[in-house]
Amino acid sequence: MKSPYAVAAFAALALSAHGAQAACEFEIEVGDALAYSLTEIAPDTTCENVSVTITHKGTLPAAAMGHNWVLAKPDDFTAVTNGAIAVGLDANYVPDDERVIAATKIVGGGEQDTVTFPLKDLPAGEYTFFCTFPGHWSVMKGTFKVS
C-alpha cells in the first residue's frame, strides 16, 4: 500500500508539471525577471476562501522590479492595468476599482504578501491574474479557473 504522503507528493508533482495547483492556498514565486511560477490556478470547489501568497525570490527592490498578484475578469484586464499607472507605487499599482477582485501589495526582493478572498463570490468561469507593475502585465499573467 502506498503511503498517503507519497500519493500527495505525486499529485502535487503532477499538478506542478502542468503549471497548475488545485487547493485553497496557493504560493507563487517571482524574482528579478518577468515571470510567475504558476500560470494557472484552479481552486478546489469546496474552498470557502482562497489565499494567494506571492514571494519575491530576487534581490531587486520593489521600486525597480516589484511584482504583485491582481485578479480581475478578462474583460476588465485593460481597464485595471490602465488605472494602475495612474495610482503609482504608493498604491501598489492597484487602482481603487470595483473590477479588482483581489490583489496583493507590490513586493520586492525578499518580501512576500498574501491576499485572501471568498470563492463563493465568484461565478464559475475563467479570470485573469496579472502583475500591475508598469509593463509587466503584458507577460506576467495567468488564468484563474472557477468550476
Side-chain angles (χ1 to χ4, degrees):
M1 180 174 186
K2 291 183 181 177
S3 156
Y5 300 109
V7 172
F10 177 76
L13 187 62
L15 286 169
S16 66
H18 290 77
Q21 288 181 350
C24 299
E25 297 179 7
F26 300 89
E27 294 184 16
I28 296 180
E29 292 182 358
V30 295
D32 294 336
L34 301 179
Y36 286 126
S37 61
L38 295 176
T39 56
E40 184 175 297
I41 294 175
D44 190 83
T45 57
T46 62
C47 299
E48 285 186 41
N49 295 306
V50 174
S51 292
V52 176
T53 299
I54 184 171
T55 303
H56 197 307
K57 297 288 191 173
T59 59
L60 294 173
M65 187 55 75
H67 302 297
N68 63 2
W69 186 90
V70 178
L71 183 66
K73 292 178 182 177
D75 290 345
D76 295 335
F77 170 78
T78 301
V80 172
T81 57
N82 287 341
I85 296 169
V87 298
L89 182 59
D90 288 342
N92 293 295
Y93 292 110
V94 178
D96 183 14
D97 187 320
E98 65 186 19
R99 294 172 286 201
V100 174
I101 297 167
T104 66
K105 68 177 188 171
I106 290 282
V107 294
E111 298 175 332
Q112 76 174 191
D113 191 42
T114 300
V115 62
T116 301
F117 54 98
L119 186 61
K120 67 179 173 36
D121 294 345
L122 296 180
E126 290 189 0
Y127 298 81
T128 301
F129 65 84
F130 48 96
C131 177
T132 56
F133 194 98
H136 292 195
W137 55 75
S138 63
V139 292
M140 287 186 74
K141 55 188 169 183
T143 303
F144 185 93
K145 295 182 178 182
V146 178
S147 299

